[in-house]
Amino acid sequence: MSDAVLRVENIWKSFGELEVLKGISFDVAESEVKVIFGPSGSGKSTLLRCINYLDPPDKGDVYLRGVRLGDPDTDINKVRARIGMVFQHFNLFTHLKAIDNVAIGPQKVLGLSKEEARERAMDALRHVKMEKWAEHYPAQLSGGQQQRVGIARALAMSPDVILFDEPTSALDPELIGEVLQVMLDLAQEGTTMIVVTHEMGFAKSVADEMIFIDKGVIVERGTPHHFFTSPESERAQQFLHKLEELYGQSEEKRNTLVDRDA
Amino acid sequence: MMGAEPAFPNFNPLGIEEWLGELAAGFAMTVYLYFVALIGGFVLGLGLALARQYGGRVLSRIATAYIEVIRGTPLLAQLFLIYFVPYSLNAWFTPDGPPLLDVTWSVRIFGVTVLNHAIFSTLLSLGLNSAAYQAEYMRGAMASIGSGQMLAAQSLGFTKRETLRYIIIPQSFRRMIPSWSNEASYLPKYTVVATFVAVEDLFGMAKLIVSRTFLALQTYVFVGALYLALISVIAKALDVIYERTKIPGL
């Protein structure tokens, strides 16, 4: 698949004795939404951090539009600027207003003028419906609002792909909807995304492919339809069953919200 | 009724008013030593803090060693070491060896000596000493920022240097003010070591006045009050700066 935006090839990663990733491979095509899920400690977050080389893999390669990230000639900072990242705990810059959180990347990394960067930041904030909060500091915003600023910060760089690392796991239940809504909109506009999440409603409505990871390996992959009707592996079945038990009710509620807007 | 005879006929509540000029000069010298050492220590301390916190294996060990040696030895010993280096070297030089090091140089501005060997040694030892303490306050502030923002900056494509400059340093300056104000208010008192190498700072002037007038009580109370006034102003100023630069909502 030469038209892959991102190619992950046989990634291995261990921390000391602990092997976290044991040979993960997949491709992400243009406008594709890839959902990665699996039990906690299965290596999902590590995988995302290997993809943008925040934690370089021990073995294996990552290619962004054909450019090998591990290549000594590759300027990793330039490549990272093209891979957006949204974090579980938002990780906004606390000393900057929402608008400056979003503008600082385009200004300092892409070299835009201050005015251009702010304009672009404002567009991104509008995209996540946070333009009214542009002049607020992160500590003055709710978790859901902070996460939307976090998404705007990634968007403003016009990245080739955005990685989402459990973007709703740290949110109060009533705030999850607004963040998922923004992510749904992005998915439908054709944003290329890799999303680590347990929000199965989101996966159902927009994932092109779901990947189930356990103990550092891909156990099973397929369409949402495949996973929600006939998952093959016992581990995936058990895990999906557990999710349903835990989140079943709120999941339904959220699905209605998702369906209405989809 | 007691007569007009006072209980302490020899008590002269002032008696030091004719020495106000000397006290003012001493105070000016103390303030000068303080600010130069504080600012010099700030710049070097920032370098040490960055090296210790983000410098990688070699740099962080060098910074740590420096900080521990400075904090583990007396300031006065550090001053004497610096002050006596040229004298010691001169003592080793033979008459037909290299020329002796000059310890009599001075820089005067409007007739006031602003720099000579003793003042320079004092500034250097105070600055090098303060840097170690300031570095630890800065490092504490940096460590409290958490790795998340660092990761976020790096995933935007920031280099490590840009991350430190735009994200870490601006926040750590704000966060460090409350603890750093300790060093800012200790340092004026540490400048008294200048007296030991015959720099005429406020404390040195006080000693001089006492040796001439024997008015120890009022001299030291007055001088103490001057230190107190200086430090109160500094503490208040830092409070104001802290409030003004506080990040809203935090």
Side-chain angles (χ1 to χ4, degrees):
Chain A
M1 230 166 93
S2 57
D3 60 336
V5 175
L6 191 85
R7 159 164 280 185
V8 175
E9 217 173 70
N10 194 28
I11 291 285
W12 290 72
K13 179 78 185 177
S14 55
F15 296 106
E17 292 290 291
L18 184 70
E19 287 208 322
V20 182
L21 299 175
K22 293 179 265 191
I24 303 270
S25 305
F26 59 83
D27 283 357
V28 183
E30 193 82 54
S31 298
E32 188 182 346
V33 177
K34 189 87 84 187
V35 165
I36 297 173
F37 69 111
S40 109
S42 58
K44 300 165 309 228
S45 296
T46 305
L47 173 61
L48 288 191
R49 285 160 62 150
C50 279
I51 289 176
N52 67 2
Y53 268 59
L54 283 175
D55 271 329
D58 301 331
K59 219 168 80 183
D61 279 305
V62 179
Y63 297 86
L64 182 70
R65 295 204 190 280
V67 175
R68 192 164 71 92
L69 271 64
D71 196 316
D73 292 335
T74 303
D75 181 346
I76 191 66
N77 294 315
K78 288 218 171 94
V79 175
R80 280 207 197 105
R82 290 164 50 201
I83 304 177
M85 183 116 177
V86 175
F87 299 87
Q88 180 177 1
H89 297 287
F90 331 132
N91 298 357
L92 295 182
F93 307 130
T94 57
H95 63 308
L96 298 178
K97 292 173 180 171
I99 179 100
D100 297 318
N101 260 280
V102 183
I104 192 167
Q107 192 187 338
K108 305 295 182 199
V109 178
L110 302 182
L112 269 58
S113 75
K114 202 176 173 196
E115 292 70 34
E116 287 170 325
R118 279 182 78 91
E119 224 167 273
R120 198 194 263 221
M122 208 57 201
D123 286 342
L125 285 175
R126 259 192 290 276
H127 212 127
V128 299
K129 303 184 183 67
M130 281 296 291
E131 69 274 16
K132 280 189 199 131
W133 302 89
E135 300 298 324
H136 286 68
Y137 285 87
Q140 299 170 313
L141 301 173
S142 73
Q145 291 171 327
Q146 289 192 54
Q147 191 57 295
R148 284 190 280 155
V149 174
I151 294 171
R153 179 172 66 181
L155 276 181
M157 299 293 286
S158 316
D160 292 345
V161 55
I162 304 182
L163 317 178
F164 291 80
D165 186 6
E166 305 207 31
T168 57
S169 310
L171 294 175
D172 289 336
E174 75 269 25
L175 301 176
I176 292 176
E178 59 187 74
V179 172
L180 282 183
Q181 190 57 57
V182 166
M183 290 169 60
L184 283 170
D185 292 346
L186 289 179
Q188 277 152 9
E189 290 158 16
T191 312
T192 312
M193 308 160 63
I194 302 177
V195 186
V196 170
T197 186
H198 291 152
E199 291 293 335
M200 290 301 128
F202 173 82
K204 253 181 212 165
S205 34
V206 290
D208 294 294
E209 187 186 43
M210 294 173 68
I211 296 182
F212 177 64
I213 292 184
D214 191 16
K215 300 194 176 78
V217 293
I218 296 181
V219 177
E220 190 169 348
R221 52 197 291 179
T223 60
H225 181 74
H226 163 81
F227 272 107
F228 293 113
T229 55
S230 53
E232 281 158 18
S233 62
E234 203 175 311
R235 274 190 278 174
Q237 286 169 11
Q238 281 173 354
F239 186 73
L240 285 166
H241 184 68
K242 252 186 221 157
L243 278 187
E244 216 168 300
E245 261 178 12
L246 277 173
Y247 302 110
Q249 219 187 343
S250 57
E251 201 59 54
E252 264 165 46
K253 268 191 224 153
R254 258 177 258 145
N255 287 351
T256 50
L257 169 126
V258 162
D259 289 340
R260 191 184 61 229
D261 291 287
Chain B
M1 287 290 276
M2 296 289 289
E5 189 73 8
F8 302 101
N10 294 327
F11 180 63
N12 179 356
L14 293 169
I16 54 170
E17 57 272 14
E18 57 192 284
W19 296 90
L20 284 181
E22 279 78 2
L23 287 168
F27 185 69
M29 176 55 76
T30 289
V31 170
Y32 164 66
L33 292 174
Y34 169 62
F35 277 108
V36 174
L38 187 70
I39 293 165
F42 186 91
V43 175
L44 179 60
L46 178 59
L48 285 169
L50 288 172
R52 186 163 184 185
Q53 185 73 6
Y54 303 107
R57 207 172 261 204
V58 177
L59 269 183
S60 79
R61 286 196 182 166
I62 292 172
T64 305
Y66 176 87
I67 290 167
E68 294 313 332
V69 168
I70 292 286
R71 294 200 308 174
T73 54
L75 171 60
L76 197 54
Q78 295 160 12
L79 170 59
F80 282 169
L81 180 72
I82 291 170
Y83 181 79
F84 285 118
V85 158
Y87 294 101
S88 304
L89 290 178
N90 284 348
W92 295 337
F93 291 162
T94 51
D96 50 348
L100 293 185
L101 297 166
D102 180 21
V103 288
T104 60
W105 61 276
S106 71
V107 179
R108 295 166 77 85
I109 297 176
F110 300 119
V112 181
T113 305
V114 293
L115 219 51
N116 58 25
H117 177 62
I119 296 174
F120 179 75
S121 302
T122 307
L123 285 175
L124 194 61
S125 61
L126 281 172
L128 292 175
N129 181 279
S130 183
Y133 289 92
Q134 294 192 48
E136 287 298 273
Y137 291 122
M138 291 178 194
R139 191 173 70 94
M142 287 170 185
S144 77
I145 292 173
S147 57
Q149 294 188 53
M150 195 109 183
L151 289 178
Q154 281 175 304
S155 58
L156 281 176
F158 278 50
T159 61
K160 202 169 175 186
R161 179 186 292 258
E162 288 170 329
T163 306
L164 295 178
R165 175 167 167 201
Y166 297 119
I167 308 300
I168 303 299
I169 291 176
Q171 290 184 60
S172 49
F173 279 0
R174 290 177 171 97
R175 288 188 187 206
M176 76 181 208
I177 293 174
S179 57
W180 180 82
S181 71
N182 274 319
E183 177 63 13
S185 46
Y186 274 132
L187 195 54
K189 289 163 290 183
Y190 288 141
T191 58
V192 300
V193 295
T195 301
F196 287 88
V197 290
V199 172
E200 292 181 322
D201 71 323
L202 183 55
F203 190 70
M205 284 298 190
K207 277 190 75 176
L208 175 81
I209 294 166
V210 171
S211 70
R212 298 275 170 83
T213 64
F214 301 106
L215 298 171
L217 183 63
Q218 46 270 67
T219 305
Y220 285 124
V221 167
F222 184 74
V223 162
L226 283 180
Y227 281 103
L228 178 63
L230 172 64
I231 289 162
S232 303
V233 169
I234 294 159
K236 183 69 197 165
L238 285 174
D239 273 351
V240 171
I241 293 171
Y242 180 68
E243 287 302 323
R244 290 239 176 116
T245 58
K246 216 158 80 175
I247 298 163
L250 271 187

